[in-house]
């Protein structure tokens, strides 16, 4: 079974939702047969790379909040994250363009290190002081920590077209599926789960999607095969 997760590194609920989903997956009896693929979704795709701003003023301007409301919202997110065992800095974080991070995540997927890099990007953005935005050296360091080759990472970042098509394809697919917010979870292209739901909701969705998989349909009849008791040997 495949689970696809559309998310953005700038999205705090994606950070929390990933932890809740993983908690449900850890107790799922068939977890070893579940492939998890992270898909790209930019909350602010038109934002310039050098447009880096503190989170609180950005929230005030973008959503019409008061500064007190924006700070209260961040405090609530901090509490939600803490309940999942996640570190979260309610004050002092930046916001910015995430396109290069998504490009690196596609590269990391090819190398089998996508989850490792995503976890480090989330932690760096939500729990550490140094900004991850408009700082290629910061991204290089995180990618290397995730197990990727330094020179290969620098090459990806230096070429703005590298993995750009893959990011845009994910975003087009999200639009076709009707995804308007993240995180968004798609299970076997049959069930969708929107938002950072409780782990119990994810567990229910996993069980339902697994149970509703169509049975294997066989073509042709039986033929020679090898099994636990060995291989059938034709008799002369």
């Amino acid at each position: 079974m495949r689970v696809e997760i559309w998310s953005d590194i700038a999205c705090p609920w994606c950070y929390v939702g990933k932890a809740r989903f993983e908690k449900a997956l850890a107790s799922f009896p068939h977890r070893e047969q579940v492939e998890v693929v992270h898909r790209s979704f930019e909350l602010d795709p038109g934002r310039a790379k050098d447009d880096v701003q503190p989170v609180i003023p950005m929230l005030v301007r973008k959503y019409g909040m008061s500064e007190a409301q924006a700070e209260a919202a961040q405090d609530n997110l901090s509490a939600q994250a803490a309940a999942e065992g996640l570190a979260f800095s309610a004050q002092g974080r930046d916001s910015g363009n995430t396109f290069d991070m998504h490009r690196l995540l596609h590269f990391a997927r090819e190398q089998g290190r996508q989850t490792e890099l995503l976890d480090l990007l989330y932690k760096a953005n939500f729990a550490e002081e140094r900004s991850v935005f408009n700082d290629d050296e910061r991204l290089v360091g995180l990618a290397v920590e995730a197990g990727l080759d330094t020179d290969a990472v620098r090459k990806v970042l230096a070429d703005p077209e590298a993995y750009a098509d893959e990011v845009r394809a994910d975003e087009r697919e999200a639009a076709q599926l009707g995804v308007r917010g993240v995180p968004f979870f798609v299970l076997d292209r049959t069930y969708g789960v929107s938002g950072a739901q409780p782990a119990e909701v994810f567990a229910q969705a996993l069980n339902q999607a697994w149970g509703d998989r169509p049975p294997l349909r066989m073509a042709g009849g039986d033929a020679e095969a090898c099994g636990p008791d060995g291989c059938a040997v034709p008799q002369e």
Side-chain angles (χ1 to χ4, degrees), residues 40 42 99-100 102-104 106-107 156 159-172:
S40 297
E42 294 173 274
F99 188 62
D100 283 348
H102 285 295
R103 293 195 301 114
L104 280 179
H106 276 278
F107 169 64
V156 171
D159 179 3
E161 297 304 314
Y163 300 94
D165 288 345
E166 288 82 349
V167 175
R168 297 307 183 208
D170 278 356
E171 293 174 338
R172 285 194 302 271

Side-chain angles (χ1 to χ4, degrees), residues 199-233:
E200 294 78 10
V201 173
F202 288 121
Q204 181 181 4
L206 286 166
N207 282 306
Q208 190 166 358
W210 183 269
D212 286 352
R213 291 179 309 145
L216 185 67
R217 301 176 67 180
M218 303 296 294
D222 292 335
E224 291 80 4
C226 297
D229 298 324
C231 298
V233 179

Side-chain angles (χ1 to χ4, degrees), residues 16 76-88:
V16 173
N76 175 57
L77 279 164
S78 181
Q80 297 275 353
E84 305 303 330
L86 302 172
F88 189 96

